[in-house]
Amino acid sequence: MRRHRPSLLNVIDVEATCWDGQPPPGSVNEIIEIGLAVVDVSARRRVSRNRILVRPVRSAVSDFCTELTGLTQAEVDRGVAFAEACRILVEEYDAGQRPWASWGEYDRRQFERQSRADGVAYPFGFPTERTHTNAKAVFTEAHGLRGKPGMAQALRIAGLPLEGRHHRGEDDAWNIAALVLDLVARGAWPVTEPVVGSPRP
């Protein structure tokens, strides 16, 4: 009898430069942390977690951003370039082939925006609607909610603990992965297949 291959899913949560109000002139939101949790959907468990710090080039970490995420300018200055972060996702986490999920659409859109701005190949597979799952939308429908909850509220609704610090990418990805497994257990998580072909530039 042939063994079933593990069905791995990347859960991604990004933190980006942000401000209390409008960004300073010439500044744009840039990814400063990519939190990643790998979920084995078949085995119904979280198998690994990681964070990739990313060095911004068109913005700086504000005091507001540090208060929110805990990340400082000195910390992200030691991070890698966005292109290198995308290479890590593709080569170490099979991002071009493996389905992925995030809480809402922000993370996907931020990757698309920054990939265009930096001239870096989008690291995830296409078409997006086949490879990416909006976990917030799935959770909202599964629980019959009127409004779409934030991650912390969703954990409370599901009766799950918030592990670590909210708005720290690695911790948020780990918590979102727990919500994904809760949805898998409910039979509410959509079936996603590996992508055929490599990501387009």
Side-chain angles (χ1 to χ4, degrees):
M1 185 173 170
R2 193 172 68 175
R3 289 184 65 190
H4 182 69
R5 288 180 59 201
S7 51
L8 299 180
L9 171 79
N10 289 337
V11 177
I12 301 280
D13 183 82
V14 303
E15 302 301 330
T17 49
C18 54
W19 302 270
D20 187 9
Q22 292 299 309
S27 295
V28 295
N29 297 103
E30 292 178 279
I31 294 170
I32 52 176
E33 182 192 10
I34 301 168
L36 187 145
V38 179
V39 175
D40 185 333
V41 177
S42 297
R44 299 191 179 187
R45 65 190 183 98
R46 298 175 288 185
V47 296
S48 69
R49 58 187 288 169
N50 193 20
R51 68 192 297 228
I52 305 168
L53 291 180
V54 185
R55 187 172 60 251
V57 294
R58 291 185 297 278
S59 60
V61 177
S62 66
D63 291 343
F64 172 81
C65 189
T66 296
E67 190 176 326
L68 184 69
T69 67
L71 293 166
T72 64
Q73 184 68 45
E75 196 173 1
V76 300
D77 280 345
R78 297 192 294 271
V80 299
F82 178 68
E84 173 65 8
C86 290
R87 185 198 66 77
I88 292 168
L89 288 174
V90 171
E91 294 188 6
E92 297 184 20
Y93 294 96
D94 205 16
Q97 307 293 324
R98 194 179 291 174
W100 69 292
S102 62
W103 196 256
E105 297 290 345
Y106 172 83
D107 306 78
R108 177 183 63 78
R109 290 175 180 151
Q110 181 62 32
F111 265 104
E112 289 178 349
R113 281 193 297 266
Q114 197 159 337
S115 293
R116 282 195 303 269
D118 290 14
V120 172
Y122 181 71
F124 305 105
F126 286 90
T128 296
E129 57 270 16
R130 255 193 71 202
T131 64
H132 176 259
T133 301
N134 179 341
K136 181 192 287 190
V138 177
F139 186 91
T140 301
E141 184 176 345
H143 286 266
L145 305 174
R146 289 189 176 184
K148 293 180 179 177
M151 185 206 74
Q153 185 185 352
L155 288 168
R156 288 194 295 272
I157 291 168
L160 296 170
L162 194 159
E163 299 178 60
R165 175 183 176 138
H166 193 14
H167 297 302
R168 177 59 68 99
E170 182 182 359
D171 291 339
D172 282 359
W174 190 247
N175 284 306
I176 294 164
L179 288 165
V180 167
L181 289 174
D182 181 70
L183 291 165
V184 170
R186 291 170 174 269
W189 190 253
V191 175
T192 48
E193 296 295 332
V195 187
V196 177
S198 57
R200 72 186 184 198

